[in-house]
Amino acid sequence: MAGKILVVGSLHLDVIVHSSRLPKPDETLLGDNVSYRFGGKGGNQAVAAAKIDVQVFMAGRIGTDNFGKQIYDTLSNQNINLDGLKMVDEATGMSVALIGSDGIYCAVVVSGANQTIDLSEIAVPDDLTVLVLQNEINTDANFEIIKKVPKSTFIILNAAPALTPNKDFFERIDLLVVNQLEAKMLLNEEPSIFNNLDALRKLQNLGPKEVIITMGADGYTGISKNGEIFSEPGIKVDVLSTHGAGDSFVGTLAAFICKGEPINIAAQYAQASSALHVKTPIDQREKILQADIENMFSLNQ
Ligand code: RIB
């Protein structure tokens, strides 16, 4: 297998409630249905990366409760090394997402066990190729892990949710991936004056060598370390649910970078993976294979 990826990140049990619309303040609304799903940006990204022929390692924390058991069962059925996964005496992290029939989505995360990650217990695999981080675990853990990996390790930060940028941390990031909302928050910009090209350069000035801004159905745009701009429009598919689509983008991107693809090509594989993700029913997504992603990539050349 080509290369090793370590994902240090969040693991949640997602409670997903569908209703005709989102409730107003003070309102109690009757929902249509609820599902309980494996989630957390870290976990979703590790699962997406593990579809590709690279070695994936996941470090995270879950509780000893039923939610933790469900997460453990899902992860242990993937091709992921779980030596860095520990159970602690805290509630497993969770997210409650509300999705209206118009597709409008909102969510609240309660981090619980995710905040207890202690890096002294995390072994960094030898010759680690790619490290993947997000912002759903304690910030100190992210700041520390970048000091523990080899200098040659390519570090991807998916700055979700967006936090105030830290210069020393950002300067060690090879690739920053954000959506437009996170880009606006990192740059403290008014939505009305937001411009993607301008934002890419400003984000690069914060420290990361390369940046990608994802734009959902409109595709993505990025800037390489040499200042070259690359972008692709969205792949047109019938969308069933966008839940976790950004994570499938980041996980696949990390895997193809790990396999040695240049960033602009890895991003095209990532977009192919997200397109398949959103058009596939949630309970069928685990059946999406590397061959399906490569096929979707080829169809869009
Ligand atoms: O990106 C989607 C994920 O964000 C969900 O799985 C939820 O748990 C939150 O972490």
Side-chain angles (χ1 to χ4, degrees), residues 1-4 49-56 79-80 129 258-259 290:
M1 284 211 200
K4 297 176 188 169
K51 291 181 184 292
I52 313 302
D53 55 346
V54 290
Q55 286 183 67
V56 180
N79 201 11
I80 300 176
T129 324
C258 189
K259 277 164 69 67
Q290 177 168 345

Side-chain angles (χ1 to χ4, degrees), residues 257-280:
I257 286 175
C258 189
K259 277 164 69 67
E261 294 290 353
I263 183 175
N264 57 327
I265 302 295
Q268 290 180 40
Y269 281 106
Q271 169 142 277
S273 172
S274 291
L276 283 172
H277 182 92
V278 299
K279 78 191 257 303
T280 304

Side-chain angles (χ1 to χ4, degrees), residues 10 12 14 38-41 44 94-95 105 109 136 243-244 247:
S10 54
H12 298 153
D14 290 351
F38 173 87
K41 296 185 195 302
N44 293 339
M94 68 171 299
S95 147
Y105 166 97
V109 164
E136 288 185 327
H243 189 68
D247 299 330

